[in-house]
C-alpha cells in the first residue's frame, strides 16, 4: 500500500481543507503531545470517556477502544504525517464513504456505553469532551449528528457524520462533529483582529478576561463622562449587555473570539446580531429617549481610550441620515457589522478610527497593569474634560438625576 499512499496521499489545493480537519483531530487525540497517536492514547480516551459518563471502565471497553485505534490508525501510521497521508489516500477512493461507514462501526461500539445500539447525549458528551471540547460545542455537534432530530444518534447517523468529517474535502456542518470549529483563515483574519481589538479595550484590568464587572465599570465611567448619576437600573442594563455579548464560559479572549467567529459564520448573523445589540443601545441611550446623541456616544466610547476626534468620526459614520443623532437601528446595524464583517468597511471604525494593519492584535494574555478602567492619569483627565465640555453644550440631552 506504500506506493498507493505516496501517490494519492499528498496535500493539494483541492484537499487542503481536509488536511486542516485531519491535523486538528490528530492533535486532539495526541493526549501526550508527542506527535503520535498510539493504542495507549485510545485506551486513555476510553478511560476518560467512562469517567465523564460516570461508569466503570471495563476490560471489554478497553478492547473496543483498541479495536477502534486499529481501524483508524494501526501499526505504522501512528505519526501525524503517515496517518494524514494514509487518510488522504483513502479519501481518493470512489467508494470511500461506504467503506468508511463500516469501519466506524468499531468506534460507535466505544461510544455506546450501555450497548443499547444508540448514542445518547450523555454518551456523546463523554466521547468528545475528553478531547477538549466544551459542553456548549458538544451540544452543537450532537445536534448536527442527530440528523432525524429524535434526541439520540443511531449507528448509521454516527458512521455517516464521522465519515464525512474524515473524508469530505469541502466545508459543511459535519466539520463540527468533534466540536464546533472556528477556523482561523485569511478570510477571517481581519475579523479576528477587530474582535481582539475590542476585547483588549474592554479588558481594562488586563487579565485576559472580560467579566460582568468590567461592563459595569464601563457603564460607571460612561455616566461619569456624561456627568449623570449611575443608577442600579443602569448597572443592570450593563450586566444584561455583558450577558448578551459574553456570558458565562466566554470571559477569556480565545473562547470569546472563537464564539464570535462561529456566530459570524451563520448566514443570518447580521439580523440576529442587531437584535442582540439592542441590549447595548439601552446602555448608551442614557436619557431613554430612543436616540443616541453625540454626548451619549462620546461617553460610550471615550472610556475605552478613544479620543474625541476619533469618536466624532465614528459618530458621523454611524449617523447614516446625518440628523445628528443615532437611532437604535443605525446603532445596531453599525455595531453588528463591526463584530461580523470579515472584510474592511467604514464600520470597522465603530469604536473609534482604527489603523488595524499598523497595530496587529495580541491574542495572548496580557499582564495586569491597573484597576478597573484606570487609564493614564493625564489621558483620563483630558478625555473627561473633553466629554464634559461636550455635555455643557448639550446638557438637556443627558439631564438624568
Amino acid at each position: 500500500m506504500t506506493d498507493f499512499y505516496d501517490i494519492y496521499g499528498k496535500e493539494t489545493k483541492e484537499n487542503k481543507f481536509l488536511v486542516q480537519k485531519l491535523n486538528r483531530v490528530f492533535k486532539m487525540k495526541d493526549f501526550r503531545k508527542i506527535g503520535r497517536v498510539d493504542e495507549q492514547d485510545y485506551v486513555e480516551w476510553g478511560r476518560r470517556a467512562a469517567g465523564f459518563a460516570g461508569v466503570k471502565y471495563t476490560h471489554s471497553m478497553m478492547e473496543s477502544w483498541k479495536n477502534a485505534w486499529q481501524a483508524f490508525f494501526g501499526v505504522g501510521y501512528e505519526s501525524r504525517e503517515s496517518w494524514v497521508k494514509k487518510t488522504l489516500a483513502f479519501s481518493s477512493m470512489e467508494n470511500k464513504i461506504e467503506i468508511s461507514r463500516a469501519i466506524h462501526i468499531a468506534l460507535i461500539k466505544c461510544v455506546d456505553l450501555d450497548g443499547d445500539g444508540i448514542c445518547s447525549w450523555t454518551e456523546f458528551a463523554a466521547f468528545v469532551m475528553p478531547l477538549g471540547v466544551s459542553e456548549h460545542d458538544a451540544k452543537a455537534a450532537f445536534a448536527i449528528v442527530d440528523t432525524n432530530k429524535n434526541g439520540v444518534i443511531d449507528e448509521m447517523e454516527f458512521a455517516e457524520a464521522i465519515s464525512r468529517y474524515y473524508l469530505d474535502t469541502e466545508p459543511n456542518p459535519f466539520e463540527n462533529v468533534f466540536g464546533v470549529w472556528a477556523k482561523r483563515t485569511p478570510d477571517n483574519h481581519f475579523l479576528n483582529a477587530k474582535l481582539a481589538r475590542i476585547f483588549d479595550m474592554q479588558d481594562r484590568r488586563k487579565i485576559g478576561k472580560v467579566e460582568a464587572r468590567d461592563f459595569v465599570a464601563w457603564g460607571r465611567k460612561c455616566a461619569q463622562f456624561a456627568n449623570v448619576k449611575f443608577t442600579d437600573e443602569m448597572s443592570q442594563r450593563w450586566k444584561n449587555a455583558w450577558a448578551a455579548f459574553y456570558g458565562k464560559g466566554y470571559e477569556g479572549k480565545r473562547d470569546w473570539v472563537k464564539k464570535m467567529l462561529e456566530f459570524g459564520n451563520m448566514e443570518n448573523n447580521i439580523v440576529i446580531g442587531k437584535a442582540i445589540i439592542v441590549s447595548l443601545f439601552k446602555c448608551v441611550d442614557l436619557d431613554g429617549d430612543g436616540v443616541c446623541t453625540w454626548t451619549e456616544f462620546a461617553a460610550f466610547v471615550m472610556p475605552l481610550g478613544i479620543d474625541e476626534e476619533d469618536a466624532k468620526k465614528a459618530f458621523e459614520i454611524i449617523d447614516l441620515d446625518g440628523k445628528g443623532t443615532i437611532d437604535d437601528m443605525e446603532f445596531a446595524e453599525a455595531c453588528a457589522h463591526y463584530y461580523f464583517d470579515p472584510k474592511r468597511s467604514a464600520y470597522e471604525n465603530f469604536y473609534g478610527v482604527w489603523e488595524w494593519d499598523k497595530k496587529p492584535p495580541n491574542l495572548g494574555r496580557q499582564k495586569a497593569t491597573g484597576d478597573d478602567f484606570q487609564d493614564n492619569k493625564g489621558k483620563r483627565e483630558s478625555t473627561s474634560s473633553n466629554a464634559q465640555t461636550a455635555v455643557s453644550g448639550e446638557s438637556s440631552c443627558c439631564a438624568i438625576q
Side-chain angles (χ1 to χ4, degrees):
M1 296 294 288
T2 302
D3 291 340
F4 176 75
Y5 292 157
D6 287 339
I7 295 172
Y8 295 101
K10 297 179 180 179
E11 180 177 348
T12 66
K13 182 178 180 179
E14 287 71 27
N15 65 23
K16 186 175 182 178
F17 177 69
L18 177 54
V19 171
Q20 288 181 318
K21 289 193 295 178
L22 296 177
N23 284 332
R24 177 207 183 208
V25 77
F26 183 95
K27 291 178 181 178
M28 295 169 80
K29 295 177 181 179
D30 178 15
F31 288 107
R32 296 167 295 158
K33 305 305 177 188
I34 61 172
R36 292 170 60 90
V37 176
D38 297 311
E39 184 180 79
Q40 67 190 83
D41 290 296
Y42 264 54
V43 171
E44 175 61 20
W45 185 5
R47 182 177 291 108
R48 295 186 186 188
F52 264 80
V55 301
K56 182 180 179 181
Y57 190 50
T58 66
H59 178 74
S60 175
M61 289 179 180
M62 183 187 297
E63 287 302 313
S64 293
W65 282 97
K66 289 181 179 180
N67 292 337
W69 174 82
Q70 185 62 46
F72 278 82
F73 285 85
V75 176
Y77 300 101
E78 299 93 339
S79 72
R80 184 186 60 80
E81 183 179 0
S82 62
W83 178 73
V84 169
K85 181 184 287 187
K86 168 188 173 182
T87 308
L88 287 177
F90 185 82
S91 71
S92 68
M93 298 173 62
E94 291 185 5
N95 57 344
K96 58 189 178 184
I97 297 295
E98 289 75 14
I99 298 174
S100 182
R101 287 174 186 153
I103 294 173
H104 292 144
I105 296 300
L107 187 57
I108 197 171
K109 290 180 179 178
C110 302
V111 183
D112 180 18
L113 295 171
D114 58 9
D116 63 354
I118 56 175
C119 172
S120 66
W121 152 245
T122 300
E123 291 170 323
F124 185 81
F127 167 61
V128 297
M129 290 178 69
L131 298 177
V133 178
S134 68
E135 183 177 357
H136 176 271
D137 286 356
K139 285 183 177 179
F142 184 85
I144 291 169
V145 181
D146 178 21
T147 54
N148 65 5
K149 308 304 178 187
N150 66 347
V152 295
I153 299 170
D154 61 39
E155 62 179 18
M156 286 298 101
E157 287 176 319
F158 183 86
E160 175 76 12
I162 298 293
S163 297
R164 300 289 296 278
Y165 180 93
Y166 282 103
L167 302 174
D168 280 354
T169 58
E170 298 292 334
N172 62 55
F174 292 116
E175 71 193 51
N176 301 302
V177 166
F178 290 100
V180 177
W181 182 30
K183 304 166 290 302
R184 191 169 184 183
T185 67
D187 289 336
N188 63 30
H189 177 70
F190 177 64
L191 183 53
N192 267 282
K194 287 195 294 180
L195 295 174
R197 177 209 182 206
I198 187 56
F199 184 98
D200 289 340
M201 293 168 78
Q202 294 170 351
D203 176 21
R204 301 302 290 182
R205 293 172 295 155
K206 304 306 178 191
I207 62 171
K209 298 176 71 174
V210 176
E211 299 175 316
R213 71 174 84 173
D214 295 297
F215 265 52
V216 172
W218 182 9
R220 186 175 291 110
K221 279 290 182 181
C222 287
Q224 290 174 2
F225 266 76
N227 198 26
V228 300
K229 181 181 178 181
F230 188 61
T231 66
D232 290 341
E233 183 181 356
M234 289 181 179
S235 178
Q236 188 57 52
R237 288 175 185 170
W238 282 96
K239 289 178 182 178
N240 293 341
W242 175 83
F245 277 81
Y246 286 85
K248 292 289 186 181
Y250 297 101
E251 298 94 338
K253 178 184 279 190
R254 292 188 182 277
D255 289 337
W256 181 73
V257 169
K258 178 183 176 184
K259 168 188 173 183
M260 297 302 284
L261 289 176
E262 291 163 3
F263 189 87
N265 287 331
M266 296 172 59
E267 292 183 5
N268 55 345
N269 53 27
I270 297 295
V271 175
I272 299 175
K274 288 178 184 177
I276 295 172
I277 291 164
V278 169
S279 64
L280 187 59
F281 183 81
K282 291 179 180 179
C283 299
V284 182
D285 179 17
L286 294 170
D287 58 6
D289 65 352
V291 296
C292 172
T293 64
W294 152 243
T295 299
E296 290 171 323
F297 185 78
F300 168 61
V301 297
M302 289 175 68
L304 297 177
I306 304 302
D307 63 33
E308 184 175 359
E309 181 181 356
D310 285 353
K312 282 185 176 179
K313 291 178 181 177
F315 183 84
E316 291 170 359
I317 291 169
I318 302 169
D319 179 20
L320 295 176
D321 56 19
K323 291 182 178 179
T325 58
I326 300 170
D327 63 36
D328 57 354
M329 286 299 99
E330 287 176 319
F331 183 90
E333 177 80 16
C335 191
H337 279 286
Y338 179 93
Y339 282 99
F340 305 124
D341 273 354
K343 298 187 182 298
R344 303 199 67 171
S345 73
Y347 292 121
E348 70 192 51
N349 300 303
F350 179 85
Y351 288 103
V353 177
W354 178 43
E355 296 181 357
W356 82 283
D357 49 345
K358 294 184 180 180
K359 296 180 180 180
N362 173 21
L363 286 175
R365 180 168 174 159
Q366 300 181 16
K367 185 177 180 180
T369 57
D371 298 328
D372 291 6
F373 284 78
Q374 293 292 313
D375 294 321
N376 176 273
K377 182 178 180 181
K379 181 176 181 180
R380 184 171 69 250
E381 291 177 349
S382 173
T383 53
S384 179
S385 175
N386 287 336
Q388 291 196 29
T389 298
V391 171
S392 65
E394 277 191 68
S395 57
S396 62
C397 296
C398 297
I400 299 175
Q401 301 297 328

